[in-house]
Amino acid sequence: PGEEAAAAEGEKEAATPLSGIDRLDRDCAALAARAPANSVIILVLQPSTDEATKLVKQRKACQDTRSTSVWTHEKEQQLKAAVRKTQLSRIYVHVVPSLEVS
């Protein structure tokens, strides 16, 4: 009975999608478990710049005198928001403690 319950719980966890932060926590814990004692793990994550890059190209195309496309205020606001997203990075630091017991 105990093994069946544990197996069912494991299947339930595997079927539940993890959020980005939960996946990151899980992966950092797995990495820390394999890291040598007295080490530091630093991860720096930056959002994708794809959306901002696409919008910058669209704006440049709209500014071309041969273009029939119009760059709108709404598109400019989307571009500003996309650029702001790319300027925010997340840094995770994990210190693997010494194995020595005092």
Side-chain angles (χ1 to χ4, degrees):
E3 291 177 17
E4 290 175 8
E9 185 65 28
E11 289 175 14
K12 180 181 174 184
E13 286 178 11
T16 304
L18 296 175
S19 72
I21 296 296
D22 291 335
R23 279 194 313 266
L24 182 63
D25 287 344
R26 179 200 61 203
D27 294 346
C28 284
L31 184 61
R34 293 190 308 260
N38 295 326
S39 60
V40 177
I41 299 169
I42 300 173
L43 298 174
V44 180
L45 305 172
Q46 179 183 7
S48 173
T49 60
D50 293 346
E51 181 184 2
T53 301
K54 181 181 91 172
L55 289 168
V56 165
K57 288 179 181 179
Q58 285 180 3
R59 181 172 68 177
K60 186 174 181 178
C62 288
Q63 291 171 343
D64 189 320
T65 56
R66 300 169 290 173
S67 176
T68 57
S69 297
V70 178
W71 185 253
T72 64
H73 176 74
E74 290 79 20
K75 284 284 191 188
E76 186 67 25
Q77 296 308 309
Q78 287 177 1
L79 173 59
K80 288 179 181 179
V83 169
R84 273 194 302 274
K85 285 182 194 175
T86 66
Q87 294 171 339
L88 297 175
S89 296
R90 290 191 172 132
I91 299 174
Y92 296 90
V93 178
H94 180 84
V95 178
V96 180
S98 171
L99 298 176
E100 297 176 13
V101 178
S102 320

